[in-house]
Amino acid sequence: MKFEDSSQNLRMRLWFVQSAVVLMLALLGVRLYYLQLVRGQHYAEIAQNQRIRLLPIVAPRGVIFDRDGHPLVDSRPIYNVILSREDLRGQNLGSLVKPFAEALAVDFDILRERFEQIGSQPAFESVLVKQDATPGDIAWVEAHELEFPELRVEQQPQRRYPPDGLLAHVLGYVGEVGAEQLKQQVYKDKNLKPGDVIGQSGLEQFYDDYLRGRDGYRKVIVDSRGRIQDEIETVQPQPGHDLVTTIDLDLQLAAEQQLRDSATKRGVIVVVNPNDGELLAVASAPTFDPNLFSQRIGTKEGRAEYMALLNDPDKPLINRAIQSRYPPGSTWKIPMAIAGLEQGAITLQHSNLVCGSGIQIGNKFTRCMGSHGSPDVGTAIVHSCDGYFYRLGLKMKLEGINAMTEEFDLNKRTGIDLPNEVTSRTPVEFKAILDRRQQEWKDIDTVFASFGQVYEEMTPLSMLRTVSGIGIGGKLYIPHLLKEVRPVGAAGEAEYRAGRGFQSTDPARPNPKVVPIPGDIHRAVVDGMWGVVNKGGTGKGIRMVGFDIAGKTGTAQVVGLGKDIGKNKDHSWFVSYAPAYKPEIALIALIENSGFGGHHAAPAVRRVYDVYYRKTRKEEPPGALPVAKSTGDRRPKTGVSSDSASVVRVATN
């Protein structure tokens, strides 16, 4: 008899085991199919990337030159300590802050902040740990290669700017692209990533696309810990375009020296060739050191220096030529005279208007600082007769003054190739403020709008463009700093990149804008400006015999008469060009809170003319300049030529 032990149920157990094995093999096969065929290419790339690494070689930015070929900005090679983030997957970056900060003498808080910012960004190749590493830093990294294989030392270019803040507001500075910038579409379109260095101000920002080169790379083989085992290929970086600017370094140095020597050490001097718009000098004071942003901003001391600049009440980071607005004072009278004659408010045959030592409008008497009888337009310009222009403004009416600002682009940006230029404010804007307040524009407001004191706030560059354009007969060129973008490589080569000259950012904007000033009107106003310097006018102290300067002083009040002391003193203006009847150079100076224009701004301009004369004529300029600096209030009294009126500024905000 055959005996079977059904309690063991071996067949059923064997069947379950066989089924489980088959199922596991099937699942494994499906998974292998998915990994090798469906996702095979993806994982092959990951494996390859773990073995082959591309290490970027940062391209040097282009050199910036002055018009004569002197280098203004270049780059020098330095060594940086870099952290390869790809080798730290799953590791907390915060745990590395303390050892790196102590060993490499990096500020703990700054390094922690950098790691936190990077941690919130998508993974990328490397993180800067320390800039401009010392030989000791490099030795430490090499000695701890086994402990910290993710660290390496790379040679990278560092931007170097002129000392003493020379041309700081023109050149600008570079810095790492910020997290907020990377969110903007304009930066996304450039394929920038955290750690990239871009222009953040000045020409560095405006022409960043040209100055930035094309990075190269090293293709290397690494082991599982990220250590380099071999180098496969090196693609050299392509440097950025070199820029040749229109700046004349001799004139720039002279302009900046005049601002340093000025009564308040705050102001602007701009020099332009009125015949093409090339800016020969742009000086703004006080200035700052752009090397802070390229070399020291990553240190605790650099951060403190930056905060001091931000909190400085004199605002050294502001380019006063294009980012500050001032009441133009009597410089406003030049376009007013042209427009009054063009519009027929006065004629050359009948241009005499009463001075009256001022004007009475209702119960308000706005005075002239002199008593000039009944001058014609030329004499009114020579002696800066406010009473004359009060009455001219009433004849032109607000509509005529607005037409003038439109004609001379005084209500528009100049179009300079620098970022963040502001627009001047004209009577139209101030009338709109009164309209919103439901306040009527009255005759006294038209008087105020006629002499550059209450209802106008101009950037110095805007005023210079207008007056220098009048000097050459009505051609208003776009002021610019670019002379040439030099090509990279040789024509016909694969890596060749073409250069170019200056191009307006607005192709629809004419350059120059032609204002058709009749010849006799032009001559009459130029004669008046010539007389300001050469016929006993308000700028007589800077006369250059044989190199006649035509100009206009301006003294713009900041507060009411009697309160104009200290930091509330008048702004001192002088706008000019020379030679008077065939201009080849034009200058404007504004010295903040220094007093009478003829005593401060005009002498500063004259000293820059002296440098230009020596450089172009190869001889000493005619006549010394016996004008001493003065910090006292030397405003002329009644009966003497003046260029400001007594009026309290009205609130406009």
Side-chain angles (χ1 to χ4, degrees), residues 335-601:
M336 280 287 292
I338 293 285
L341 289 165
E342 284 183 330
Q343 295 172 18
I346 54 175
T347 65
L348 291 174
Q349 295 74 26
H350 300 92
S351 68
N352 297 75
L353 295 175
V354 173
C355 169
S357 298
I359 192 169
Q360 183 79 37
I361 302 291
N363 61 357
K364 173 68 177 178
F365 182 78
T366 305
R367 70 173 181 171
C368 178
M369 295 300 289
S371 181
H372 304 101
S374 181
D376 61 15
V377 65
T379 304
I381 292 173
V382 171
H383 297 293
S384 201
C385 176
D386 293 321
Y388 183 96
F389 284 92
Y390 299 158
R391 291 169 174 81
L392 177 58
L394 289 172
K395 284 179 171 289
M396 292 171 61
K397 301 182 180 180
L398 177 61
E399 293 75 15
I401 297 174
N402 290 341
M404 175 197 76
T405 64
E406 182 72 33
E407 180 180 38
F408 288 108
D409 279 357
L410 289 166
N411 56 353
K412 299 179 179 67
R413 294 182 178 89
T414 66
I416 184 176
D417 47 349
L418 285 178
N420 305 317
E421 180 185 14
V422 301
T423 306
S424 298
R425 292 176 178 148
T426 62
V428 171
E429 292 185 50
F430 291 98
K431 183 179 184 302
I433 293 172
L434 294 181
D435 289 343
R436 288 196 295 271
R437 295 175 179 173
Q438 297 182 340
Q439 295 177 353
E440 182 184 358
W441 182 275
K442 301 177 182 178
D443 284 347
I444 189 63
D445 297 310
T446 303
V447 168
F448 291 162
S450 67
F451 71 114
Q453 187 58 60
V454 177
Y455 291 124
E456 301 87 23
E457 292 179 352
M458 296 288 112
T459 64
L461 187 61
S462 177
M463 209 67 223
L464 177 61
R465 179 176 183 246
T466 293
V467 176
S468 64
I470 289 172
I472 61 172
K475 292 182 179 179
L476 277 63
Y477 286 90
I478 297 175
H480 58 276
L481 289 153
L482 178 67
K483 194 170 186 67
E484 176 192 8
V485 173
R486 289 179 174 172
V488 175
E493 294 182 354
E495 305 300 334
Y496 174 74
R497 286 176 284 155
R500 69 170 179 85
F502 170 72
Q503 298 171 3
S504 171
T505 56
D506 181 3
R509 185 171 187 173
N511 187 28
K513 178 179 180 179
V514 178
V515 178
I517 303 174
D520 53 352
I521 292 177
H522 175 257
R523 179 72 186 216
V525 174
V526 171
D527 284 348
M529 293 183 68
W530 176 88
V532 168
V533 179
N534 301 280
K535 198 177 177 181
T538 52
K540 61 185 176 183
I542 67 163
R543 186 182 181 205
M544 294 178 71
V545 179
F547 189 76
D548 291 356
I549 299 171
K552 185 71 195 76
T553 55
T555 306
Q557 284 184 243
V558 179
V559 295
L561 194 64
K563 301 178 183 178
D564 48 346
I565 58 175
K567 285 202 170 185
N568 289 327
K569 288 181 68 173
D570 303 336
H571 296 317
S572 176
W573 287 87
F574 187 70
V575 61
S576 63
Y577 45 83
Y581 297 99
K582 193 176 181 181
E584 56 190 66
I585 182 174
L587 278 80
I588 194 167
L590 177 137
I591 310 299
E592 291 183 7
N593 306 115
S594 60
F596 181 49
H599 293 161
H600 297 275

